[in-house]
Amino acid sequence: MGKEGVRLEREQWKPVIEGLLFAAGEDGLSLNEMTEVTGLYKPVVSQILQEMKEEWKEQGRGLQIVEVAQVYQLTTLSEHQEYFEKLAQSPNRSRLSRAALETLAIIAYRQPIIRADLEEIRGVKSERTIYYLKRKGLIREVGRAEGVGRPILYGTSREFLDYFGLKSLEELPSVDTIFDWAELEQERQELYQRLGVDPAAEGAAEESVAPAEETAESDGEAESPV
């Protein structure tokens, strides 16, 4: 084992690795990443993962560890899929949480957007919320960004328009109407700052259009022959 192995016994590393995989979400972790975080040697981490897979299967756990493209993830069992579909379609689960609404609003107004930029705006990790919104069909992967790793770009879906009763993205309301909760005024203003949006300025700009149009109309009337 590496230097950290002196502090923790082998069995004690299993819940640590389980927690790391849970925190990593859909992105998962590679052996190199787990080795770097734990300080264990790569063969040791690999062996612990294999033991966890076998133990979970024997115990009949509802989660499993899978390896996809050299990345390890926690996933549910495929034989339980029908229950997850029922959960997603349940009326009691149809209402979006504040975190989901905030994430969805940022994606809607800044799409296409990568998860890192979304999290920078929100100030918190968002992989679980993104997974939830994808499961509900409200957002989708629209491509890959240029740069290291070519991260996934997210955008809204057709279901998003149906969910909010919109014909197109042009019908999106102003940001101010989405977060119209008086008790969350401070958090709402902080979100505006992170989004770089000033609803008050937008409103003033709209109001300034009316006098200008009225002036133009009055000038036109003055020039028209009697």
Side-chain angles (χ1 to χ4, degrees):
M1 291 189 180
K3 58 184 179 181
E4 294 296 332
V6 178
R7 303 179 194 172
L8 293 179
E9 296 296 332
R10 185 185 190 83
E11 289 300 314
Q12 292 176 303
W13 278 112
K14 293 179 180 179
V16 173
I17 291 176
E18 180 180 350
L20 289 173
L21 290 173
F22 176 82
E26 63 178 348
D27 289 344
L29 292 171
S30 67
L31 273 180
N32 287 335
E33 289 173 319
M34 284 185 275
T35 298
E36 181 179 351
V37 172
T38 62
L40 298 172
Y41 294 124
K42 190 182 296 185
V44 175
V45 175
S46 180
Q47 190 173 3
I48 291 176
L49 285 167
Q50 185 59 38
E51 290 178 5
M52 291 172 67
K53 288 181 183 180
E54 295 172 359
E55 290 171 1
W56 289 15
K57 188 173 182 179
E58 291 175 0
Q59 296 166 3
R61 296 277 294 270
L63 295 175
Q64 61 182 343
I65 300 174
V66 298
E67 181 184 1
V68 180
Q70 298 183 333
V71 170
Y72 291 85
Q73 300 172 313
L74 287 184
T75 68
T76 54
L77 304 180
S78 58
E79 54 262 39
H80 299 162
Q81 182 64 31
E82 62 175 298
Y83 302 106
F84 303 131
E85 292 176 353
K86 289 179 181 178
L87 176 64
Q89 297 167 3
S90 171
N92 294 331
R93 304 285 296 183
S94 61
R95 187 170 183 175
L96 295 176
S97 66
R98 181 164 61 90
L101 272 177
E102 181 178 285
T103 301
L104 191 56
I106 294 171
I107 292 174
Y109 286 90
R110 287 294 182 89
Q111 61 183 304
I113 186 171
I114 63 175
R115 198 188 81 188
D117 290 344
L118 188 153
E119 290 176 344
E120 183 176 354
I121 293 173
R122 290 195 67 215
V124 296
K125 289 286 186 180
S126 303
E127 64 268 17
R128 289 289 172 186
T129 307
I130 289 175
Y131 173 77
Y132 170 74
L133 292 172
K134 283 176 62 180
R135 191 180 69 180
K136 289 187 71 69
L138 296 175
I139 64 173
R140 61 191 180 93
E141 298 177 7
V142 298
R144 294 273 183 174
E146 297 296 331
V148 179
R150 293 183 57 80
I152 297 171
L153 288 166
Y154 293 99
T156 53
S157 63
R158 179 68 204 180
E159 286 78 4
F160 166 82
L161 298 177
D162 293 340
Y163 188 92
F164 289 100
L166 305 174
K167 293 181 179 179
S168 67
L169 292 176
E170 283 69 28
E171 294 186 356
L172 278 173
S174 66
V175 180
D176 189 48
T177 62
I178 295 180
F179 300 98
D180 190 21
W181 304 311
E183 68 273 16
L184 300 174
E185 180 64 24
Q186 182 176 353
E187 294 181 19
R188 189 155 57 97
Q189 293 302 325
E190 291 175 355
L191 175 62
Y192 293 152
Q193 292 176 5
R194 296 198 298 270
L195 276 171
V197 174
D198 186 351
E202 290 179 359
E206 291 176 358
E207 292 176 0
S208 66
V209 174
E213 290 177 348
E214 292 175 1
T215 303
E217 290 176 359
S218 62
D219 290 344
E221 291 174 359
E223 293 176 359
S224 60
V226 177

